[in-house]
Every structure is written in structure tokens, then in C-alpha cells.
Amino acid sequence: MAAPSSSAAANIMLAISEKKTNSVDLYRPLRNYVAFHYSEREAQNLEDDLQTLKQLRSDVERHSDPSLPARRDLLQSYYKSLCLVETRFPISSDPDHVNALTFVWFDAFKPKQKASQQNIHLEKASVLFNLGAVYSQIGLSYDRNTVDGRRQASHAFIAAAGSFAFLRDNASLKASVGSSTTVDLSVECAGMLEKLMLAQAQECVFENTIAKGSTPGVCAKISRQVGIYYEEALAALNVAPLSQHFDKSWIVHVQLKAALFYAEACYRYGLELHDKEEIAEEIARLRSAVNVLTEAKKSSKGAAAQILDAIGKLEANINRNLERAVKENDRVYLMRVPSPSSLPPLPAFSMVKSMVMNEMLDASKEKMFASLVPDNSAKALSRYTEMVDDVIRTQAEKLQQASELTRVRLKEMELPESILALEGNFTLPTSLKEDVEAVQISGGPAGLEAELQQLKDLRRVNQELLVQTEELLQKEAREDSQFRSQFGTKWTRPQSSTLTKNLQDRLNRFAGNLKQAAESDGRIERSVREHSSLMSILDARPIESALPSLARPIMSFDQNEDAIVGSLKQSLRQLETLGAQRAGLEDMLKEMKRKDDILPKLMTSTGSYDDLFKKEIAKYDHICEEIAQNIEAQEQLLLQIQAQNDEFSVIFNLEDYKASREKAYKQIEAAIAKFREIKDNINEGLKFYVTLQDAITNVKQQSNDFVMTRNIQCREMIEDVQRQVAGLSFQDNKNTGVFNSNYPSVGSQNQRSNTQTDPPRPQTPYYQQQPVEQPPIPTYGHHPPPPYGGPAQHHQPPPPYHIPPSSTAPYPPAQVHHQPPPNHEYGQPAYPGWRGPYYNAQAQQPGSVPRPPYTIPSPYPPPHQSGYYKQQ
């Protein structure tokens, strides 16, 4: 059946009124203390902080802002400021302390009672009380007829409960010391108010649960917890010192709420029992609810009408369900109804708990009075800090030594590696595994064949380039020889062999390079074939699959291998747990030190610091004892593991497994070394062929340029010879007696202009542009031209194929300073940086030229050999 909420009409809750206080001037006494004990300058530096503190106290007294959230923020700020004052200003009747301050606060429930103390504890406790009171007023201010309003109200009541809990745990006892105190700040009152606020917060949750249409069982659990909180508050109100302190209406309100929500829980639980056809227990629960409500109404004088109305409605619903259940039981079920006293307690579930206020009220990040620390307190604090540091350092060293001992002992026993090997989860040592992964990433032994093929392809390309270049020069030489035979002495230009000697020499050296490179390639191929079986282990993926495994014994007499392995694993897990506990203990030490702030106690202590230090340092004793117990337990466990591992080693023949495993490691290391050696030699060969290809390509280009220029000269010379044969050059022939080209000498230019119809075509070197103002160059003049490679004349540029005389050594001497012209002539190096033959040259001066690229020593040279591509 439908279960309407009877609490909606009972939505009457309580808020706490703030405590009142008398005005007090904090500014003058605190400033005088600073000026007297420190300096006037320090007092001036703290002027802003003192004025801020004075304004905060004034606002707390006067309720300057009627807004409840603003009042809440003010109380929080003032409380944190009081925490800072407490650590720097000792306030008491002592002549050396701030003794001109007296705080007066009135009881919140009996305003005629007041407390007056010359210490800051009463002030702090009263501010905390007012903070909880403001939170309760904020909760009461929300519209609890809406779901969101009830949720916000619940949060505010939770914060109020947290404030009263913080008051009870941190300030009540201190504020209650002395003859002048009030009940509202007592531990009992703070605890009662916490429970009351939790009850109201849980009540808001219950109302939202009803609004959501939750099941009767859930509603019953939440309702029962509301009743429990009210019952706990009622229990505190009925005993001293609160029994005579609160108005009768408070007690009646809490008593009726406790009864109401107990009955509500019975009613909701009865609905669930009825659905389960547990009629007998339903009848007992409903009768128990009726009895509680009847008893509560006997002392309901002065209660709010809304609560009494809610009780009446709930009682009517309970009686109606009870009557129905009794009829059904009498007619159908015929169950025996248990007595209410024999029933188990109703289930309850709390949806709220007091808010933790430590972080909200933490003053450690506040900057007020930061520069003010009493000298004696600072010195005492430094001494205490050294004592704490010594304790932590000693215990940390013990923990580290225990962890290191465990690591060494386990490494000696090769645990847990042996267990992992038995399960097939073993792995290579880290450095060796990284080397294997690097080999596999680079292609591994299986990729060497492709790189060998790359060597062959590059060698073939170089060979083809070399042959093409040689055929180009040979073709030009044959053509020159044919024309020389045809024209005889009239063919006066130098022979091709005299001009291409340097090119031919270099091509011959390149051919020798290729021959020796082919031999080196062959050695690499043979090495790959010879060591393929050794290196094949590197292709295993994962590499651990190629390692020997630790196997169970083939024959066993007592079949206890599993028990031995299981006990060893269990011991290792226990050892790991001890290690984790040590890490936690070290963190606990550091955390305890971080929170260990005794400065407020030092600043208010008038006795011996040694007694205080002894008391405070004792906080670390229990952790030190736990550390000692942990280390002792580890020593016993290591002895046990040693015995278990010895038995494990014998049964599983661990020594033979270690030997075979080390052998596999050495094989992998040898395979890696050989792979790297071959890989480096292949890389050296690839670099050699690429460099040689550039050099041959350069020489081929020079040869093409040479042939092109010779072809131009050839056509021009053929034209001259033809003109000579046709009788067009009789005048020149009569004067000189030898063949002369159509290029006149410098003194015969005008004369040739008169006798010649065709304009002269001056010959220009292929890589030089003839300046406009420069006279023509006589190429086939009265005297035979100097050989290509002869010294250049100072009065004219060198001929197109000028070749400087070559040195007898393959590399030019390092001490030669004269350099040929920068253009590409055929006595020049093949390309910038080219210094001659690669590695088959004759002896040369050490250091005169850089080592050729293909003679870089391998980082892994085989015995008695410094590399594949070496000078033979």
C-alpha cells in the first residue's frame, strides 16, 4: 500500500543560538607585549596584523553583517587568527605574559551565566561553539519543502556537527579548566549537540528518500538511524551536567522525535514484512511502535503542535495496518506473534557523518604574525626538532639496512627468479635483454641477407659506372688515333693518352678498389654462412623461448614438489608484506614529524623543557617498536626461506639449470658480438660503395666534359685542315712552313681580317668564359702546344685540358702549398675532399690524408684482423 511520509508535517528542527561576549581590546595589550619583549620596530612591522585582529574581534562582538554565510566566514577567519596568537602571545596572569586581557563569554542556553578567563582557550572554544551555531542556523534557513533545499540543509547540519565535534575534541577540556566556566562548552554538551545535528541531517536525507519513492526497507533503515541519533542526544540531555541546564521544551522535542522515527521505522519495516507475508513479526513491530508512541505522548506537554499532529497521523496508519495484519493472521496465517522484547533490533543505516574541520580551520598557511617567534621558543623548538630528526634518521637507517639485507640474501639464493623460471616467466638480465632487443629492432640475423644483396647491387653499379667511363675514354682515343692516321703531321693536337693519363690512373685505382672490395664482401658472406647457426638464437621471439627451462624432476619418490614450491612462495609473499610494512612505517614516521608542532606548548610552558620533550618524543615509541618487530620477523623469515630454498635446489637440480642458463647467456653474448661485427663490416662496405660511386660519377662527368671539348676541337681542326688542303691558307703556309689554324697570332689579326671571309671563332676552355676584352688564344700556332699538364704561362690562361704534373705518390704530400686553379681540370681531385685512391695505394706519409671511409676499424675486430676492408 502507499506509504505517505508522516515526517513531512514534523519538519520542525532546532537551531542553536550564538554565545554573547563582552568587548575586549586585543590591540593594545598585544602591541605592548611585542614592543617590550622584541622591539618597537617589530611592533610597527606588525601594525597591520594587529589592526586586522582588532577588527575581527570587533565584528564578532557586533554582528556587523547579518548574512549567515558572511558570519560563518568571519568566525572561521577569527578562529585561525586566534591559533596564530596562541603560538606567539602567552596570555595568562603571569607577569611576563600578556596579562591585561580577560575574555568574558555568556552561556548560550542560560545567558545569565558567564565565564571569565585570562587565557585564549575560552575565546577559541566560544568561537567554535558559535561556528556550529551559525551552521545550524544556515541549515534551518533553507526551504526544506524541496529536494534541493533538504539536501543543502543536510550539508549545513553535517558541518554544524563537525564544528561541535571539533570543539569537543580540541577545545572543551582546555576551556573547562578553572573555576570560571559554562556548561555549553563542556565535552558533554558539545557531544550532545553533535548528535542532535546529525539527527537533523539524517532526517533531511530520510525526507528525500521518501520523496524519491524508495522501498520500505530502505526507508526503514534510514528512519531508524534518525531515531538512534535522537535517542543518543536524549540520553545526554537526561544526565548531568545537562539534565538541569536545558529548557524542558528541548527535552520534550528530542524525546518525541526519537519516538516518532522509531515508530516510523517500525511502520516502514512492517510494510516490507507484509509483502514477505511475515505477518507475525509485522504485528509485533507495529505493536512495539504503538507502545512507544503512547509512552511518548504522556510527556508531550510543551511540544510543537506539528510534531503532535505527525505522531497522531502515524499512529493512525500503524493502527490501521495492525488491525489488518491481525485479521489476516487470525483467518489465514495463524502464526504465533512474538513479544516485542524478543525481536532483534531494527536495521539502521547512517547516511551522514560529522564533517572533518581540521583542514577548514587549519591556520598553518596564514601569514599573520609570521615574523614573530619568541627566541626561547625557537631555540627549544630547534632542540626538539633535532631530537625528532635523530629518532627518524636512526629508524630510517634500520629500515634501509633491513631492505638491503633482504635484497642481497634473495640475490644470493636467486629468488624469486628460480620460482619464475619454474613457471616459465623468467627473463634475461636487463642489459643483455636490451642488447637483444637492439639487434632484433635492426633486423636481426635474418636481415643480413638483404644487406648483403645491397652490397652486391652497389658493387655492380660501381662496376658498370667504371666500365662506362673507360669505354667513353677509349672511344675518344680511337677516334683521335683514326684522324691522326688520316691527316698525319697536319693533326697537331696532343694525343688523348697524354691528356687522360691522370683519369686512367684513377680509374685503374678504382678498379683495384672494387676488386679488393669484392674480396671483402666474400669474406663477409662466408662469415654470415659460418656463424648463421650461432646467430640464429637472436631471431627467437621472445628471446626467453630460446633459454633452457627449469623442469620438474622426471621421477619423485614422495611427490612433495608442489608442497615445497608452495611453501617457498608463501614465505616470499610474507617477506614482501614485511617490506611493504617497512615502507609504511617510514612514511608514518615522516608524517608524524610533519604534524608534530609543539610550538604552542613551548610558548605557554613555564616549567622545564626536558619534561615536555620527554613526553612529546614518546609519541614515536610505538612506531620504533613496530620497526624492531618487523626486522626481527624478517630475520626469522629469511632463515626459513634459506632452508626451503636449499630443499628446492636439491629436488629441482638447480645447479645444473644454472650452468645451462649461463651457457645460454654466453651463447647469446657471442651471437650479439658476431652480429655486431658483421653488421659493422656491412655498414663499412655500404659507406665505401656509396663514396666510391660518388667519386666514379665525378670522374665520369669529367670524362664527358673532356670528350665534348675534344669533339669541338676535332671539328674545328678538321675544318682548318680542309681549308688548308683547298689552298685557303697559302699565305700562312708560306710564312710559317707549318699548318696554322684559323686563329691568327696577336700580330696578324688585321691581316687575317682582310684576307678571310669567315669570322674567326676563338676557342674557349669548357669551364672558362673568355673575357670580352681578352685577345684570342692561339691554339695551333707556330710552335707545338705544350703538353697537357705543363706549367701555365703567366701571360695567358691555361689550355682547356691543362693537367699539372702528377706526383709519384698516390696522395699529394701534405707540405705542398701551391694549389691548381679552382675549376674542374683533369689534374684536379675527383671531387672536393677527394685525395686519391681508397685503400690500395702505395705507402704514404702517416697523417698526410684522412683514412678512406672503407677502412674504418670495426668495433668488434676478429682475432688477428683489424677489419674486412683493409689495405692488403
Side-chain angles (χ1 to χ4, degrees), residues 135-194:
Y135 269 120
S136 72
Q137 296 169 25
I138 291 175
L140 209 61
S141 68
Y142 289 113
D143 180 9
R144 297 191 305 282
N145 291 317
T146 65
V147 172
D148 190 59
R150 289 189 291 266
R151 180 183 58 80
Q152 293 176 322
S154 177
H155 290 168
F157 289 134
I158 288 172
S163 300
F164 289 121
F166 193 84
L167 167 64
R168 178 197 63 207
D169 297 335
N170 297 277
S172 289
L173 284 176
K174 297 177 182 178
S176 300
V177 174
S179 58
S180 180
T181 183
T182 53
V183 174
D184 57 352
L185 296 181
S186 65
V187 173
E188 293 81 3
C189 186
M192 183 276 296
L193 293 175
E194 178 195 11

Side-chain angles (χ1 to χ4, degrees), residues 646-665:
D646 292 343
E647 190 174 4
F648 174 82
S649 300
V650 172
I651 291 179
F652 288 90
N653 200 6
L654 201 57
E655 293 301 323
D656 289 348
Y657 165 72
K658 293 178 182 178
S660 60
R661 183 190 61 191
E662 291 300 323
K663 181 179 179 181
Y665 288 169

Side-chain angles (χ1 to χ4, degrees), residues 405-406 409-410 412-413 415 567-568 571-572 574-575 578 631-647:
L405 175 63
T406 301
R409 294 285 296 278
L410 290 180
E412 291 173 352
M413 293 183 282
L415 290 173
S567 61
L568 185 55
S571 297
L572 291 174
Q574 293 175 3
L575 191 65
L578 289 175
I631 295 174
E632 176 63 25
Q634 175 183 279
E635 291 176 356
Q636 298 299 324
L637 189 57
L638 284 174
L639 293 176
Q640 177 181 323
I641 291 174
Q642 180 68 61
Q644 293 171 342
N645 188 64
D646 292 343
E647 190 174 4

